[in-house]
């Protein structure tokens, strides 16, 4: 988590930003830690439930050096 061992509002906000970046098909090659964070945070049951309810539970980053963004 961003601020220690507890999921906080900061984690929630970063999750929203990362979802936007996925939807914008942003090239995340330069930020592998954020890609890993996104993957890890989606394993939390409450996050999974939220993403499922929004219909965005299958989002993943595509790491591709040829992206224009």
């Amino acid at each position: 988590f961003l601020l220690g061992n507890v999921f906080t509002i900061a984690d929630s906000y970063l999750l929203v930003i990362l979802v936007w970046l996925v939807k914008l098909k942003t090239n995340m090659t330069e930020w592998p830690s954020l890609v890993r964070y996104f993957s890890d945070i989606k394993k939390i049951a409450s996050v999974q439930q939220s993403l499922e309810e929004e219909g965005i539970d299958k989002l993943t980053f595509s790491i591709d050096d040829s992206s224009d963004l």
Side-chain angles (χ1 to χ4, degrees):
F1 302 110
L2 289 175
L3 302 175
N5 295 326
V6 179
F7 187 83
T8 67
I9 191 71
D11 295 291
S12 296
Y13 188 71
L14 180 55
L15 177 62
V16 170
I17 299 302
L18 293 173
V19 166
W20 291 346
L21 292 173
V22 170
K23 289 192 165 264
L24 290 170
K25 298 180 178 153
T26 303
N27 182 351
M28 295 298 289
T29 305
E30 295 184 40
W31 300 285
S33 294
L34 285 177
V35 174
R36 184 175 54 254
Y37 175 85
F38 186 60
S39 177
D40 291 346
I41 209 80
K42 291 189 314 178
K43 295 174 185 171
I44 298 170
S46 59
V47 172
Q48 286 176 356
Q49 180 181 351
S50 261
L51 295 175
E52 287 171 7
E53 288 174 3
E54 294 296 323
I56 56 175
D57 54 312
K58 304 296 185 218
L59 291 178
T60 58
F61 279 110
S62 176
I63 305 295
D64 180 3
D65 290 330
S66 66
S67 174
D68 291 334
L69 297 176

